[in-house]
Amino acid sequence: MFISRIMLKKVSCRNDGFWQMFDNEYALHQAVWDLFADRPDRERDFIYRMDATGKLPVIYAVSRRRPVNAGGSWDVEIKEYDPQITADMRLGFSVRVNPTVKRDGKRHDVVMDAKHKIRSGAVSDENKKALAEIVTKACVDWLKERSAKNGFDVLAARADGYRQSRFGKKKGGVPIRYSTVDLTGVLQVRDGQSFKNMLFEGFGPEKGFGCGLMLVRKI
């Protein structure tokens, strides 16, 4: 496996034509896929996260193959990735996720579901909290419910940066909608192999749009 940090070259930033290619959010995600698509029918075998330095995108990716910078627009730093994970290890973590729950036969993000419960009266007045607290609890609970099968326990966590995305692959097409939130905190490894598999394969849905890559560090 490989882990990469991918940044725009300064010369690319000065090229107006380059930025015209990124006229919507989908185009930027497609540019990431192009780094790993060595053939048209290639299935996704990587996970990634898109952040920013100033206004410029910075991409972190874990992949089975090295990214190929065919157009030369990116600076790519690549390292082999084989983290040594053992049970009971404590790690700091950061992961961008698309947390969803099922209600009325449909998938809803946990933030909108929490708002729905407030509006419907499922949450009593005396137990209502500030929205930020509700968002954090809903998202952290979602994380904890899925942690055991991925080989870890959550010791502490917080949720920030809730964001809704909506864009189309082409004009007039059905728009893609999903939400994201950034979860950070401390975890303890329960099963080293399961946890390592998750680091390689990603956590939760919408991995094709930059969700699920968990970055960890020793503490």
Side-chain angles (χ1 to χ4, degrees):
M1 298 294 290
F2 301 95
I3 187 167
S4 306
R5 183 172 69 164
I6 304 165
M7 300 166 290
L8 278 178
K9 288 183 176 179
K10 291 183 178 179
V11 65
S12 300
C13 301
R14 297 192 293 266
N15 186 335
D16 291 339
F18 178 84
W19 288 108
Q20 288 173 5
M21 293 189 297
F22 299 136
D23 59 352
N24 61 58
E25 188 172 345
Y26 176 74
L28 191 51
H29 286 290
Q30 187 61 50
V32 178
W33 277 69
D34 289 344
L35 290 164
F36 296 93
D38 56 347
R39 62 175 190 263
D41 61 343
R42 166 67 72 178
E43 295 186 359
R44 183 183 55 78
D45 57 356
F46 65 95
I47 52 176
Y48 71 101
R49 171 172 174 161
M50 191 179 299
D51 288 326
T53 300
K55 295 182 178 180
L56 302 179
V58 177
I59 299 150
Y60 299 92
V62 170
S63 59
R64 296 188 179 279
R65 296 170 295 111
R66 292 175 177 269
V68 178
N69 185 18
S73 299
W74 306 90
D75 279 322
V76 183
E77 299 175 359
I78 308 171
K79 296 181 180 179
E80 292 190 3
Y81 188 47
D82 185 22
Q84 303 305 301
I85 304 296
T86 58
D88 297 326
M89 179 181 288
R90 291 193 176 194
L91 300 168
F93 74 89
S94 174
V95 60
R96 180 165 297 150
V97 294
N98 167 234
T100 61
V101 294
K102 193 171 184 179
R103 176 169 50 80
D104 301 328
K106 298 181 180 180
R107 304 300 299 183
H108 301 268
D109 76 75
V110 297
V111 175
M112 297 306 294
D113 188 67
K115 290 181 178 179
H116 170 78
K117 289 178 180 178
I118 292 172
R119 290 194 298 268
S120 67
V123 178
S124 61
D125 290 339
E126 61 269 22
N127 290 330
K128 288 182 181 178
K129 300 179 180 179
L131 180 58
E133 295 179 53
I134 293 172
V135 169
T136 292
K137 184 178 187 309
C139 293
V140 172
D141 286 349
W142 178 89
L143 175 69
K144 289 180 177 179
E145 288 169 2
R146 290 154 181 80
S147 62
K149 69 177 182 181
N150 287 285
F152 67 97
D153 295 314
V154 179
L155 303 182
R158 60 175 291 171
D160 298 287
Y162 173 72
R163 178 172 180 261
Q164 292 182 322
S165 294
R166 181 181 184 275
F167 53 85
K169 292 185 178 181
K170 58 183 179 180
K171 292 183 178 179
V174 178
I176 298 168
R177 303 170 185 262
Y178 64 97
S179 62
T180 58
V181 67
D182 292 339
L183 296 170
T184 56
V186 179
L187 61 81
Q188 184 166 343
V189 177
R190 174 185 290 194
D191 181 301
Q193 190 58 55
S194 295
F195 185 76
K196 191 171 181 178
N197 290 342
M198 183 275 297
L199 293 180
F200 291 163
E201 302 297 332
F203 186 89
E206 297 297 354
K207 299 180 186 69
F209 290 105
C211 296
L213 170 58
M214 182 177 285
L215 300 174
V216 296
R217 59 180 176 82
K218 292 182 178 180
I219 56 173

